[in-house]
Amino acid sequence: MKYAFWPGCVALGGTPELYQSTKLVLNKLGIEVEELTNATCTGAGVLQEKNKKLGDTLNVRTFAQAEQMGLPIMTICSTCQGTMAQAQLAVINDDGYLAEINADLADEDLEYHGNTVTKHLLWILVEEYGLENLKKHFVRDLSGLKFAPFYGCYLIRPSDALGFAEVPERETSLERVIESTGAEVVDFKGARACCGLPILFINQNNSLKMVATHTGTAKDLGADAMVTPCPLCHLNLDGYQGKAAQKNRASAIDLPILHLPQMLGLAMGFTPKELGMNKHMVSTNRLRDHVEALAAPAQA
Amino acid sequence: MPETLIANLKVQRYDPESDNPEVYYQDYEVEVEDWFTVLDALIKIREEIDGTLSLRCACRASICGSCAMRVNGEAKLVCKTRLDSVWSPGESVTIDPPGNMPVITDLVADFKPFWDKVRQVDPYMQPTGPVPTAEYLAPNKDMVHLAGVMNCIMCGACVSDCTVLEVDDRFIGPAALAKAYRFVADPRDGKKKERLGVLNDDTGIWDCTRCMQCVEVCPKDVDPMGRIMVMRDMAMEEGFTNTSGARHTESFYNSVKRSGRLNETRLAIESMGVLNIPGQISMAPVGVKALIKGKLPNPLDHKIPSKAAVKKIVEHSEEPSK
Ligand code: SF4
Ligand code: SF4
Ligand code: SF4
Ligand code: SF4
C-alpha cells in the first residue's frame, strides 16, 4: 500500500506529535508514503470565505501532483480531508470549471483529470487496511480504558461530499477503530459536535464554552481520554481546555486529548514518549502510568 | 400477506399544566406501513393511541415548515423523513422537540426567539433612488440565485441544531442570517452597506463556527452557512475590516499567499489585532506554555519550494474576472 501523504500544516506546525506518531504507526503497518512536500494548505474553509475558486485551485493543484505520481492521497486531518473532498466535488461534475482551474496550473505543467482519491488515515484503516489486519499489530490490550471519540466537523459534514451514502461505515469509523484496541467507547453527543476552534480568535467565550462542554461531558461519563482524527480540534480541546475549565466549570477537567495515531501507537506497544504525548498541554501522565502498568507488551 | 410492522418510538413528553411538570420519555408501539414518514407514525399515535400527544404539523408536504423536530438527536422535517431511513425493526427511534428554543409542551417549541431574530434583520426590501413607473425589476439571473434562499420555509431545523446558539442565544443564527442575505444580495435593495454594517457587529456573521450543521439539516438546501461566508466576503469588500474575524481571514489568506502554508502563530496574533493588548495577553498563557513544551509554531513562515508559482496563482485570482 502506498499513498501520497499530505500531513497538513498543523501536523507540521502546532501539533508535531501528530506527525511523529503517524510516521511510527505507518511504518509499523507497512504502509508506504511519499510526502507531498510541494502542496499547499487546503484553505480549511477560511481561505474559501474570501475566494472559493482560489481554494479549489490550490486543492486541485495538489490532486494533480498526486495524479502525476499515480498515487491516492492520505490525509491525517479532518479539516484537510473535508476541504479537499469539497473541492473534488466542485470540479468533478463541472468540466468547464475544471478547465478554468487547469489553465491556472499550466505554468507548473500540471493538469488534473479528476482521478485522485483522497482519504483520511481513519478511512484507510477501516475501508482498505481492515481492522482485523490492524489488530495483528496490537500488542497491548487497552481494555479497561474508556475513550471518547471526537471526529471534527469536516469529517462528518457535509455528508454528500464525504461519500457517506456510498460508504456508510465512514460514519462510525472512529468508534470501530477505538473498539479494535480493546478500549471502551464513551457514547456521547459531543462526538460529532464542533470544537469551536474557528472562532477561538473571534469569540473566545463561545469557543471555550464548547471546549468545556465537550471535554467536561466526556470526563463526567468516565472517559480516560478523548481521541480525535483532527489536529485543529486537538489545538482547541487540548490547548484551551485548562482555560475553558477555569471559566466554565467549578473544577478542572484534565482530559488528555489523543491524536488517532497516538492511540494506535499505544496499542502497538510504543511508549507514550515515543508518541509525543509529553508535548500535550493537558497532562497525559496518569494515562501514561496506566498504560505502562498494563502487562508489558508482548513482542510482536 | 406482508407481515405487520411495529415501530417503537421514544417520544419526549412535557406537560406544563401537570401538578409536577417534568420532562420524560414515553415509549409507544405503533403499527406502521413501510412507506410511513416519521410524521405519519406520530399522527397515528396521536389519533389511535394517545390523544394527549402534542405536535405541530399542517401541510405534510414540506411546504409549511411546521414539523421540524429532532429525530435521533438531529433536526429533521418529519413529514419529509421516511421512517425506514431512521429506524429499523427491533430498534427504537427517539423524537425530541427542536433544540435551542424553549419547549411549550411535548414536541412543540416556542418560536418567538426565532421570529425575533428574523425581525432583527429587517426582512423587507428597502429600495433607494427614484421610484420606477412600474415594478422594481431585477435581472433574471439574480432572481434565480435568490430563489435558492427564498426556498427557506422558516422551519427552524437549522436553528435547532446550530452549535453556536447552543452556547450563546444572542447569535443571530442561520435562518435569520440566510434571510438577511436574501436582501443583501438583492440588486433592488438600497441598504446593502448598512445591512452588512449591522451584521458585521458582535452576534452577527463572524460568530458562526462554520460547523456546517445548518447545511446538513436544512430540508430545502438553503445553505445558510454558505450565505454567511459570502456576507463575510461582502462585508470585507465594503470596507468593514476592523473585526477579529476579518483580520483572521485576511491573515490566513496572506499566509498562504506568502508561503503556500498556514502560519498559526501569526494567525493568532494578527486575528487579535496587533494593537489589541488585552487580547494578546489573554492568549499569552497558552503561548508561553506551548513555548516551554517546545511546540509553539515558528512565527516565520513554513515555505514550500514552489511558493512563487502559488503566489502567482493567488495574484491571478485577485484580478477582476473577465
Ligand atoms: S486545513 Fe489545516 S491542516 Fe489542513 S492544510 Fe490547511 S491549515 Fe493545514
Ligand atoms: S471540530 Fe473544530 S477544528 Fe475540528 S473540524 Fe470542526 S471546527 Fe474544525
Ligand atoms: S455553520 Fe454557523 S450558522 Fe450554521 S449551524 Fe454552524 S455555527 Fe450555526
Ligand atoms: S434555512 Fe433551511 S433549515 Fe433553516 S429555517 Fe430555512 S428551511 Fe428551515
Side-chain angles (χ1 to χ4, degrees):
Chain A
M1 289 176 99
K2 189 169 177 188
Y3 297 88
F5 178 46
W6 171 238
C9 317
V10 178
L12 296 168
T15 61
E17 70 280 1
L18 170 60
Y19 188 81
Q20 170 185 347
S21 54
T22 302
K23 282 307 193 56
L24 283 179
V25 164
L26 292 179
N27 199 14
K28 189 84 170 182
L29 294 175
I31 299 178
E32 266 185 272
V33 288
E34 195 173 325
E35 191 163 323
L36 287 156
T37 49
N38 208 0
T40 64
C41 173
T42 66
V46 180
L47 190 72
Q48 282 79 353
E49 273 171 31
K50 198 171 151 75
N51 190 332
K52 176 164 184 308
K53 185 174 172 201
L54 173 61
D56 289 338
T57 306
L58 293 178
N59 286 307
V60 167
R61 180 177 170 274
T62 306
F63 301 153
Q65 290 173 3
E67 206 176 49
Q68 268 185 3
M69 294 156 78
L71 295 174
I73 296 176
M74 174 194 289
T75 63
I76 51 170
C77 167
S78 297
T79 308
C80 294
Q81 178 61 42
T83 312
M84 291 169 107
Q86 290 174 36
Q88 170 77 357
L89 189 69
V91 296
I92 198 77
N93 293 317
D94 188 343
D95 294 343
Y97 189 47
L98 179 57
E100 266 178 51
I101 288 178
N102 273 330
D104 282 345
L105 303 180
D107 268 4
E108 288 185 275
D109 282 328
L110 287 169
E111 184 184 356
Y112 184 47
H113 303 95
N115 300 321
T116 301
V117 173
T118 303
K119 286 190 186 178
H120 193 289
L121 168 65
L122 176 66
W123 296 352
I124 290 174
L125 293 175
V126 173
E127 294 163 29
E128 297 180 15
Y129 200 85
L131 295 183
E132 287 311 309
N133 267 336
L134 176 67
K135 280 197 223 168
K136 290 183 192 148
H137 299 277
F138 292 167
V139 294
R140 205 187 252 142
D141 182 4
L142 300 184
S143 48
L145 286 168
K146 289 171 107 180
F147 291 151
F150 197 94
Y151 280 87
C153 305
Y154 281 69
L155 212 54
I156 292 287
R157 292 174 290 271
S159 50
D160 55 347
L162 297 167
F164 283 1
E166 298 78 31
V167 199
E169 57 265 40
R170 282 184 185 168
E171 257 183 283
T172 52
S173 48
L174 186 53
E175 283 86 348
R176 297 292 84 75
V177 173
I178 291 174
E179 281 164 2
S180 76
T181 67
E184 187 184 327
V185 173
V186 177
D187 184 13
F188 82 123
K189 186 171 172 272
R192 288 165 177 74
C194 177
C195 69
L197 180 78
I199 52 169
L200 177 64
F201 305 133
I202 298 171
N203 188 330
Q204 194 173 117
N205 281 340
N206 286 355
S207 183
L208 294 184
K209 272 189 210 160
M210 292 180 193
V211 173
T213 306
H214 306 318
T215 56
T217 308
K219 178 80 181 193
D220 295 343
L221 289 169
D224 296 293
M226 187 174 266
V227 180
T228 181
C230 182
L232 281 100
C233 297
H234 190 277
L235 283 179
N236 213 24
L237 298 170
D238 176 59
Y240 285 85
Q241 191 187 118
K243 196 169 175 187
Q246 249 173 36
K247 289 191 102 164
N248 295 291
R249 306 242 312 185
S251 57
I253 299 172
D254 290 333
L255 180 70
I257 312 295
L258 296 182
H259 299 284
L260 170 70
Q262 289 179 321
M263 177 189 70
L264 299 172
L266 288 177
M268 289 170 176
F270 292 110
T271 66
K273 182 136 191 246
E274 285 172 303
L275 298 164
M277 281 168 51
N278 53 327
K279 293 189 180 145
H280 294 193
M281 300 297 153
V282 174
S283 167
T284 56
N285 290 349
R286 219 173 27 203
L287 184 63
R288 177 197 65 199
D289 296 345
H290 185 114
V291 170
E292 287 179 348
L294 291 172
Q299 274 318 308
Chain B
M1 261 290 285
E3 296 171 53
T4 49
L5 268 180
I6 306 289
N8 193 320
L9 283 82
K10 194 177 158 84
V11 180
Q12 181 173 316
R13 304 292 313 267
Y14 172 70
D15 176 6
E17 283 163 8
S18 80
D19 297 337
N20 182 16
E22 56 178 0
V23 171
Y24 62 99
Y25 283 95
Q26 186 161 353
D27 287 305
Y28 293 103
E29 283 191 351
V30 58
E31 191 180 330
V32 296
E33 304 291 339
D34 56 5
W35 45 264
F36 262 33
T37 63
V38 174
L39 181 61
D40 291 330
L42 288 168
I43 289 176
K44 190 161 178 194
I45 291 172
R46 187 179 61 184
E47 284 177 355
E48 295 179 11
I49 302 176
D50 182 351
T52 70
L53 178 64
S54 299
L55 59 117
R56 263 200 198 109
C57 65
C59 76
R60 308 187 190 187
S62 25
I63 297 166
C64 72
S66 315
C67 69
M69 53 190 86
R70 280 181 169 162
V71 178
N72 290 335
E74 193 170 89
K76 304 257 188 209
L77 210 54
V78 287
C79 71
K80 199 181 176 226
T81 306
R82 284 273 298 250
L83 187 61
D84 64 5
S85 70
V86 290
W87 166 82
S88 35
E91 292 174 2
S92 82
V93 54
T94 306
I95 316 287
D96 295 292
N100 291 330
M101 299 176 216
V103 175
I104 298 174
T105 178
D106 295 345
L107 300 173
V108 181
D110 181 1
F111 266 60
K112 183 171 187 301
F114 178 96
W115 294 114
D116 284 347
K117 283 177 180 160
V118 172
R119 262 178 226 114
Q120 196 184 329
V121 305
D122 295 339
Y124 44 83
M125 192 83 69
Q126 295 175 290
T128 46
V131 178
T133 48
E135 56 280 63
Y136 285 92
L137 289 177
N140 198 36
K141 80 166 183 8
D142 290 318
M143 290 320 290
V144 170
H145 173 67
L146 286 177
V149 204
M150 293 191 298
N151 279 342
C152 171
I153 54 174
M154 301 271 133
C155 68
C158 54
V159 165
S160 160
D161 285 14
C162 171
T163 41
V164 169
L165 283 171
E166 217 164 87
V167 296
D168 186 355
D169 60 13
R170 297 167 314 149
F171 177 44
I172 299 175
L177 287 170
K179 181 58 80 188
Y181 177 80
R182 184 252 166 276
F183 294 99
V184 164
D186 191 314
R188 296 166 297 180
D189 193 84
K191 292 276 164 72
K192 178 176 175 184
K193 185 160 184 175
E194 289 83 345
R195 289 180 190 275
L196 287 168
V198 174
L199 298 170
N200 189 55
D201 277 347
D202 292 351
T203 75
I205 48 178
W206 295 103
D207 273 7
C208 161
T209 67
R210 293 201 318 276
C211 73
M212 293 177 282
Q213 190 68 42
C214 54
V215 182
E216 189 71 25
V217 301
C218 174
K220 290 287 172 180
D221 291 333
V222 170
D223 186 14
M225 182 188 91
R227 315 301 176 170
I228 297 170
M229 295 308 118
V230 175
M231 288 193 288
R232 285 183 179 180
D233 185 38
M234 286 174 155
M236 290 187 281
E237 291 288 322
E238 289 284 351
F240 298 110
T241 48
N242 192 25
T243 58
S244 38
R247 283 191 296 267
H248 180 262
T249 306
E250 260 328 295
S251 171
F252 199 111
Y253 184 85
N254 289 331
S255 166
V256 176
K257 182 170 167 179
R258 275 193 313 269
S259 63
R261 297 279 169 88
L262 172 64
N263 182 321
E264 304 100 322
T265 306
R266 280 182 66 163
L267 184 66
I269 296 169
E270 292 176 1
S271 305
M272 280 289 179
V274 180
L275 295 177
N276 176 0
I277 307 295
Q280 300 289 1
I281 291 172
S282 81
M283 303 293 292
V286 174
V288 170
K289 198 164 170 202
L291 205 59
I292 296 168
K293 300 255 182 176
K295 66 182 287 192
L296 189 69
N298 188 336
L300 302 173
D301 294 326
H302 330 289
K303 290 200 169 87
I304 66 167
S306 52
K307 63 175 196 301
V310 170
K311 187 153 183 254
K312 204 167 152 198
I313 293 176
V314 177
E315 279 165 358
H316 177 82
S317 82
E318 287 168 349
E319 290 161 15
S321 52
K322 325 130 240 179

